[in-house]
Amino acid sequence: MLQIGDPLPHFDLPATDGHSYTPASFDGARALVVFFTCNHCPYVIGSDETTRKTAEAFAERGVRFIGINANNAVTHPTDDFAHMSVRMKQLRFPWVYARDESQDTARAFGAERTPHFFLFDAAQKLAYRGRAVDTPQHAQRATTHELNRALEAVLSGTSVAEPVTDPIGCSIKWK
C-alpha cells in the first residue's frame, strides 16, 4: 500500500474518452485525485454525485480526477470497458474514467475498495488515502468529508490533519 509521501506510481491506461493516460497526463495539476471505482458497487453509485460535486468544485482550482476501474470483468461483466463507456456517456462525470484490465495499477497503489481515494499534491506525492465521506452508500447523509478537507489542506500548502482513513465500499474484484 502506498504510504504518505510516496510518488505517484506509473500507469498507462485506456480511458472511455478514447485516450490513454499516464502520470505525465496530469503534469501541471495543483493536485490529482486517483480513485478506484467501478460500475456496479452500491457504495460507488451512492457517492457518485458527491464525488461529482467535489470534482467540479475543485476543478477551477487546478485539481484533476481520474477514476480507475480494476474489477474483474469476467466475474462482474458490467465492469467491462464497454459498460464503462456507456456509463460515462449517460452520466457525464467530470473525470477521466480509465480501465486497469491487468489490475497492475490497483496493486501498485494498494487499492482495496471501490471507492478508494488517493490524493497527490502538485509534486505527485501522496498526501491522503482513504474515503471521501463516512457514508458512501448514502452520501447525502455524510457527516464527514475527508477528501474535501484533504484537498483544502493540500491546496493551502499545509499537511493533511488525517492523512489516512479506512476506505468504505465493495472489495476490488481480483482475478
Side-chain angles (χ1 to χ4, degrees), residues 1-3 6-11 36 100 103-111 118 120 174:
M1 170 105 32
L2 288 179
Q3 300 301 311
D6 283 351
L8 176 62
H10 179 73
F11 55 84
F36 290 83
D100 178 17
Q103 300 183 321
D104 290 343
T105 300
R107 284 187 178 86
F109 277 75
F118 296 80
F120 295 85
W174 300 104

Side-chain angles (χ1 to χ4, degrees), residues 2-148:
L2 288 179
Q3 300 301 311
I4 301 305
D6 283 351
L8 176 62
H10 179 73
F11 55 84
D12 189 349
L13 301 173
T16 58
D17 63 4
H19 300 285
S20 287
Y21 289 84
T22 68
S25 304
F26 303 98
D27 285 351
R30 291 188 63 208
L32 172 64
V33 176
V34 177
F35 65 105
F36 290 83
T37 187
C38 67
N39 291 344
H40 81 277
C41 172
Y43 295 90
V44 167
I45 293 166
S47 61
D48 274 339
E49 291 307 311
T50 298
T51 305
R52 179 194 302 273
K53 288 177 187 172
T54 298
E56 289 173 348
F58 285 92
E60 61 196 40
R61 295 171 66 187
V63 177
R64 303 277 309 276
F65 280 68
I66 178 171
I68 299 174
N69 181 350
N71 274 353
N72 182 349
V74 173
T75 59
H76 290 76
T78 60
D79 282 332
D80 69 9
F81 193 81
H83 285 91
M84 289 171 57
S85 295
V86 168
R87 190 162 195 263
M88 279 300 275
K89 190 175 286 188
Q90 289 173 341
L91 298 174
R92 299 176 185 229
F93 291 124
W95 53 75
V96 171
Y97 194 18
R99 180 76 179 134
D100 178 17
E101 185 68 35
S102 70
Q103 300 183 321
D104 290 343
T105 300
R107 284 187 178 86
F109 277 75
E112 299 173 342
R113 306 238 170 253
T114 58
H116 194 166
F117 293 84
F118 296 80
L119 168 60
F120 295 85
D121 63 18
Q124 295 189 341
K125 302 287 185 189
L126 185 66
Y128 172 80
R129 68 175 160 83
R131 62 182 174 254
V133 297
D134 60 343
T135 57
Q137 192 169 6
H138 305 285
Q140 69 279 8
R141 297 183 201 157
T143 59
T144 64
H145 292 81
E146 289 90 345
L147 180 61
N148 287 16

